[in-house]
Amino acid sequence: MAETLVNSKTETAAHLNQYAGDPNFMTSLARGLCVLEAFAQESPQMTISQLSSKTGLSRAAVRRCLYTLSRLGYAGAEDGQRYALRPKMLTLSHTYTVSNTLSSAAQPILERMSDQLKESFSVATLDGDEIVYIARSQVSRLMSVDLHVGSRLPAYCTSMGRVLIASQPPDEVERYLSRVELKPFTSKTVSSVDKLRSMLRNVRRNGYAMCDQEFEIGLRSIAVPVYAPSGKVIATVNLSGNAQRMPLLDMQTQFLPHLRAAANELSVFLR
């Protein structure tokens, strides 16, 4: 289940209907992005029919998108039927990484922390109701899902997501709580909106969030906010650890100071 969630942001033709009538909205570009986002770890190769079914676009529209993407080098089909993304796609993510001040500043900080503390660290921002990883250093594979820059996870059952949601204005938090669907990834996943609301209040009061095996059994994490000069929280730094060898108290006493120092260091790059 976790594998598919990382790529759950795929837009569909139905979603594009909300822009109908907007003269400045480029529908053809939006359709091409729908096709690109449809490719995922569990479906790296797809036929035109499969892409049409997944995106809700017509086969003719998918065919035109793939033709254009293939001519530009972003996609291709070795057998003429099953399409896959090409390495040129990496240039797009690389452009974001090197042009985003926070992302480029975060990576060496995370790598330094991993070298010193022998743990995995990440930086993420909020996109809708999901977190998006913009930097990550990993010392070992902790989760069944392979997290990397660009991976997406739900905000409600992740420490980074709770930091980012809790930092929103109260009315925004309530709007989020009114629409969130609390899918139970494990037996420990928060199951009620009232409980989540209480958790978010504690995060706001304490200045950090912890998640104990709510997204995946065996995984614990702790996260702190990264502040812009205006005082707004724009990102979060977290540590992910194995629950068997990392007691919750150790995460608070041993690692929380390091996370806060890293967050302060990142804030300097935003001034």
Side-chain angles (χ1 to χ4, degrees), residues 4-210:
T4 59
L5 191 83
V6 176
N7 300 287
S8 64
K9 193 60 178 179
T10 303
E11 302 289 10
T12 63
H15 174 78
L16 300 183
N17 291 336
Q18 65 180 302
Y19 303 106
D22 185 343
N24 295 313
F25 187 77
M26 190 177 295
T27 304
S28 57
L29 174 59
R31 288 172 177 167
L33 294 174
C34 280
V35 171
L36 287 177
E37 291 180 350
F39 291 96
Q41 186 171 348
E42 71 276 8
S43 53
Q45 295 183 329
M46 286 183 283
T47 64
I48 290 175
S49 294
Q50 290 171 328
L51 283 163
S52 175
S53 176
K54 188 169 184 179
T55 62
L57 299 171
S58 68
R59 287 169 55 92
V62 172
R63 184 179 293 107
R64 289 194 298 272
C65 290
L66 288 171
Y67 175 81
T68 303
L69 291 169
S70 297
R71 291 298 299 269
L72 294 175
Y74 292 108
E78 296 297 338
D79 59 3
Q81 294 183 335
R82 298 180 64 82
Y83 286 82
L85 299 181
R86 292 288 183 257
K88 190 176 180 181
M89 283 295 303
L90 294 173
T91 62
L92 300 180
S93 61
H94 178 69
T95 298
Y96 170 80
T97 302
V98 299
S99 63
N100 183 277
T101 301
L102 184 60
S103 178
S104 58
Q107 193 60 46
I109 294 174
L110 299 186
E111 290 174 359
R112 185 187 70 219
M113 292 173 68
S114 288
D115 287 342
Q116 293 175 348
L117 303 173
K118 309 305 178 186
E119 300 293 345
S120 298
F121 297 90
S122 306
V123 172
T125 57
L126 190 66
D127 185 18
D129 293 343
E130 296 177 315
I131 61 169
V132 181
Y133 285 73
I134 64 171
R136 179 164 170 78
S137 64
Q138 183 170 295
V139 296
S140 62
R141 181 76 176 267
L142 295 171
M143 303 174 66
S144 62
V145 63
D146 183 19
L147 293 178
H148 51 268
V149 172
S151 292
R152 314 177 72 96
L153 295 178
Y156 67 91
C157 60
T158 57
S159 61
M160 291 195 289
R162 287 181 184 167
V163 164
L164 294 167
I165 293 296
S167 69
Q168 302 296 305
D171 56 336
E172 289 291 335
V173 174
E174 288 304 317
R175 277 194 285 270
Y176 170 77
L177 292 172
S178 70
R179 66 176 181 267
V180 66
E181 180 182 350
L182 302 178
K183 184 182 298 185
F185 289 96
T186 75
S187 61
K188 293 177 174 290
T189 305
V190 60
S191 58
S192 76
V193 170
D194 286 341
K195 185 174 181 179
L196 179 58
R197 181 184 287 110
S198 177
M199 289 176 168
L200 294 174
R201 287 172 180 162
N202 287 336
V203 171
R204 197 178 186 98
R205 181 174 61 251
N206 297 331
Y208 68 92
M210 298 185 69

Side-chain angles (χ1 to χ4, degrees), residues 198-238:
S198 177
M199 289 176 168
L200 294 174
R201 287 172 180 162
N202 287 336
V203 171
R204 197 178 186 98
R205 181 174 61 251
N206 297 331
Y208 68 92
M210 298 185 69
C211 268
D212 184 15
Q213 307 178 79
E214 292 193 44
F215 182 71
E216 183 168 312
I217 292 297
L219 180 73
R220 284 176 176 159
S221 63
I222 182 170
V224 300
V226 176
Y227 293 93
S230 63
K232 181 179 179 180
V233 175
I234 62 167
T236 174
V237 187
N238 100 320

